[in-house]
Amino acid sequence: MSKNRFIPFSRPWIDETEIAAVSEVLASQWISTGAKVREFERAFAEYIGVKHAIAVSSCTAALHLSLVATGIGSGDEVITTPYTFTATAEAIRYVGARPVFVDIDERTLNMDIANIEAAITPRTKAILPVHIAGLPCDMTALQALCRKHNLALIDDAAHAIPAAYNGRYIGSLGDVSAFSFYANKNLTTAEGGMITTNSDALAAPLRTMRLHGIDRDAWARQSRRSIWRYDITTEGYKYNMTDIQAAMGLCQLMKLNKQHERRRHFTQIYQTELAKFAEIRLPFFPANPREHAWHLYIIQLLSHDRDAFIDAMRAADIECSVHYIPLHLFRFYQEQYGYREGDFPRAEAAFERVVSLPLHPGLTEADVRAVIAAICKFLGG
Ligand SMILES: Cc1ncc(COP(=O)(O)O)c(C=O)c1O
């Protein structure tokens, strides 16, 4: 038996508060979309500082609906990063559009904005940046590019809560933003997502489309008792969130700043203690105007084998991960869109070097120091 405490890469931060809130919803017998979802949407919109928040079943659903609502469809092109989870590009494919990848900035791991203009064609309809690991993209530059070329700005904010740019939270700066509440995210509802927008014109169809295009959901119908009749006013999807998820989300929202403080504290220890290793590139640590959400802490190994590093950490009971295998290296993206190895050399180079170290609010300072000690041992420091 191992004498080390196993240090997981990620864990949700759940306590009695969520358990009680979920139990209360179960006891109420109203378990699908209802009053809790509405309450969660209002609280989330207020937190982000945005007019509308629309709760959905996942970030993938949020991205899909955002693309539909902004009128993107078959034959259109959407510029995004290959350095992301497949959901980002998968949603572009849902609407029949083509994901056009541009290479990344190796320091930030975000899409390199300098590469975007060359990728714009008459078919381009939107830019879909991802705030990788929680580091906000340069939203001022992206907004200017979108204005100049009349493109929608839809940001994948799956990692970016609470991340801020120029004093405003991510989620309030694009035309539409998509958040993930998947189990490993900074705010989790097990599965779930949220769309945020300041646009009334986009919010209305988004609300309707997330539940079959029905003009009034079951909660609204039952609240008015006798009104059972409804109309289908637009195309629809089965993307609604349940009250069980929303009850959990409300608790997680209350803890969001606290969990962020813990993530930031652990990040600062990593950053200070690992700075002595010339063979490690530390994550880009932004100063104003960017506030990092620290969803992931991604280091780059400049002169050691990444896989050997992960194996050595695993032998020390420390779980690490890799974010991301660039999408253009997957068979599906190669067969579907003709992408090839070599197309995005900076994304490929980063992929060979990256390791995501354990980072979550349930860690202790001793855990973080154990990770650092294991890294020291591996690097012979
Ligand atoms: C960058 C990014 N976008 C989108 C998603 C999809 O989120 P969900 O699982 O909520 O659909 C993820 C999930 O991990 C992600 O990391």
Side-chain angles (χ1 to χ4, degrees):
M1 225 174 69
S2 165
K3 58 183 174 8
N4 297 326
R5 169 179 139 96
F6 177 70
I7 302 176
F9 159 70
S10 175
R11 275 285 183 276
W13 209 37
I14 292 167
D15 59 33
E16 292 304 320
T17 329
E18 281 88 352
I19 295 168
V22 166
S23 302
E24 195 186 307
V25 172
L26 293 175
S28 81
Q29 307 286 341
W30 191 280
I31 55 175
S32 189
T33 310
K36 283 286 171 202
V37 168
R38 289 201 184 13
E39 193 184 335
F40 183 35
E41 288 177 336
R42 275 195 297 272
F44 196 87
E46 192 178 322
Y47 184 95
I48 297 292
V50 72
K51 250 173 119 174
H52 305 281
I54 298 131
V56 288
S57 51
S58 69
C59 181
T60 312
L63 289 167
H64 182 195
L65 288 184
S66 302
L67 290 157
V68 175
T70 45
I72 292 153
S74 180
D76 293 338
E77 291 176 357
V78 177
I79 294 176
T80 191
T81 172
Y83 202 81
T84 182
F85 184 58
T86 187
T88 314
E90 187 183 318
I92 296 170
R93 188 181 149 68
Y94 286 174
V95 296
R98 178 186 171 86
V100 174
F101 297 136
V102 300
D103 212 348
I104 61 164
D105 173 336
E106 277 177 80
R107 227 166 34 112
T108 65
L109 302 176
N110 281 336
M111 187 160 58
D112 188 344
I113 292 173
N115 291 342
I116 293 179
E117 221 153 14
I120 295 175
T121 75
R123 282 202 279 269
T124 309
K125 291 287 157 43
I127 302 179
L128 205 169
V130 184
H131 312 285
I132 290 293
L135 173 67
C137 296
D138 182 344
M139 293 304 278
T140 304
L142 286 167
Q143 286 166 338
L145 260 181
C146 287
R147 262 196 310 274
K148 180 173 167 196
H149 296 277
N150 194 25
L151 306 174
L153 180 54
I154 301 169
D155 53 329
D156 179 337
H159 300 180
I161 181 165
Y165 185 88
N166 270 343
R168 289 178 61 190
Y169 280 124
I170 291 299
S172 64
L173 299 165
D175 292 311
V176 208
S177 307
F179 289 91
S180 173
F181 305 142
Y182 176 65
N184 70 359
K185 295 301 188 283
N186 291 8
L187 185 163
T188 183
T189 60
E191 298 281 354
M194 191 74 83
I195 308 169
T196 55
T197 181
N198 277 312
S199 161
D200 299 341
L202 291 173
L206 283 165
R207 269 188 206 291
T208 314
M209 283 193 295
R210 63 127 172 235
L211 189 64
H212 302 300
I214 293 174
D215 62 347
R216 263 173 286 134
D217 64 24
W219 176 254
R221 289 202 304 280
Q222 88 84 46
S223 315
R224 286 174 207 182
R225 304 255 170 229
S226 60
I227 304 178
W228 53 267
R229 210 178 269 285
Y230 60 86
D231 194 9
I232 311 284
T233 55
T234 180
E235 70 184 278
Y237 302 86
K238 177 64 177 167
Y239 283 163
N240 55 312
M241 177 182 274
T242 68
D243 269 15
I244 302 171
Q245 292 164 298
M248 199 174 156
L250 279 161
C251 300
Q252 291 268 301
L253 192 59
M254 298 282 286
K255 299 199 299 206
L256 188 62
N257 290 347
K258 198 164 162 206
Q259 72 84 34
H260 184 231
E261 263 167 45
R262 289 183 68 80
R263 284 176 185 269
R264 210 165 37 184
H265 175 61
F266 297 141
T267 298
Q268 266 154 357
I269 300 175
Y270 277 142
Q271 207 79 357
T272 307
E273 298 298 320
L274 298 177
K276 62 179 179 236
F277 295 109
E279 52 274 72
I280 294 180
R281 178 184 288 164
L282 298 177
F284 182 71
F285 208 88
N288 270 338
R290 294 192 238 192
E291 175 71 38
H292 204 306
W294 293 116
H295 171 53
L296 301 170
Y297 188 83
I298 305 177
I299 60 168
Q300 299 187 43
L301 293 173
L302 300 176
S303 51
H304 288 76
D305 183 72
R306 188 264 317 277
D307 295 357
F309 176 93
I310 291 180
D311 289 348
M313 298 294 276
R314 194 72 185 77
D317 283 330
I318 296 164
E319 187 183 36
C320 295
S321 190
V322 170
H323 298 86
Y324 282 99
I325 304 171
L327 297 182
H328 70 286
L329 299 183
F330 288 113
R331 192 173 71 193
F332 176 77
Y333 287 95
Q334 297 194 347
E335 286 175 1
Q336 200 67 29
Y337 303 109
Y339 287 120
R340 293 284 171 266
E341 191 174 342
D343 284 351
F344 306 102
R346 282 181 273 152
E348 288 170 33
F351 161 57
E352 293 299 337
R353 296 191 296 249
V354 289
V355 180
S356 302
L357 299 183
L359 182 63
H360 54 94
L363 289 174
T364 63
E365 216 170 289
D367 291 333
V368 175
R369 300 215 179 266
V371 174
I372 292 161
I375 295 174
C376 281
K377 192 168 164 210
F378 178 83
L379 296 177

